[in-house]
Amino acid sequence: MLDERKVKLMTRLAFYEQTQGKEDFKISAYYRKDYTSLHMLCSFIWVTIGYVLVVGLAVLAGLDSLLGHMSMAVMVLIGGMAIVGWLAVVIIYAMSTSLVYNEKHKNSRQRVKKYNHDLTRLLKMYAQTDSQE
């Protein structure tokens, strides 16, 4: 005879495996520090590429006026501003990436722990029915 509690538990487990479980199992395979560091590295690379492209586009847009006022002091000033701007953007993105992916890993691990707990409960239910028979 079917046990309604077992069916509900198995349905919940199967639903989790098909929805969030796929992603959660991949995320929880990493240590939190490794997962966050990997995403921070990717973020650093993409922010740097994006910043170079935006600054390059701004330089191309203002190239006419830039060439008109060219001097060593102006070039050093613009280069320094570009480097300080890049550092500020990278630091902001690194902090936000760290916060987001730490939280994502923490939530994922909590869901996987709940899944494992439910799986253990299901195994205990099967053990009880086997011992009663």
Side-chain angles (χ1 to χ4, degrees):
M1 182 140 127
L2 291 175
D3 185 6
E4 188 176 329
R5 292 181 311 146
K6 280 190 217 174
V7 172
K8 285 182 181 180
L9 190 55
M10 285 190 289
T11 304
R12 185 170 60 219
L13 290 169
F15 181 73
Y16 173 75
E17 287 174 3
Q18 295 300 318
T19 55
Q20 291 178 320
K22 292 177 183 177
E23 184 74 19
D24 286 349
F25 294 142
K26 289 177 188 175
I27 292 172
S28 64
Y30 292 97
Y31 290 109
R32 183 180 298 178
K33 185 177 179 181
D34 293 341
Y35 182 72
T36 304
S37 298
L38 174 68
H39 286 284
M40 284 179 65
L41 179 64
C42 291
S43 175
F44 171 79
I45 291 169
W46 285 112
V47 165
T48 301
I49 290 170
Y51 189 81
V52 167
L53 291 175
V54 167
V55 168
L57 189 62
V59 167
L60 286 176
L63 193 59
D64 195 21
S65 66
L66 184 64
L67 289 176
H69 299 94
M70 180 85 67
S71 72
M72 190 55 130
V74 171
M75 287 175 46
V76 169
L77 180 66
I78 291 173
M81 287 177 16
I83 290 172
V84 168
W86 173 74
L87 282 174
V89 169
V90 165
I91 289 170
I92 290 169
Y93 269 90
M95 288 174 22
S96 62
T97 299
S98 176
L99 290 173
V100 167
Y101 284 102
N102 270 327
E103 190 68 24
K104 188 173 181 177
H105 188 275
K106 185 179 84 171
N107 293 338
S108 175
R109 284 294 298 156
Q110 287 175 347
R111 288 190 296 267
V112 169
K113 283 181 183 180
K114 185 177 182 329
Y115 170 81
N116 287 335
H117 177 62
D118 287 345
L119 203 56
T120 303
R121 281 183 40 211
L122 182 64
L123 290 173
K124 286 180 182 177
M125 285 180 190
Y126 273 113
Q128 286 176 351
T129 50
D130 288 344
S131 66
Q132 290 175 356
E133 292 176 357

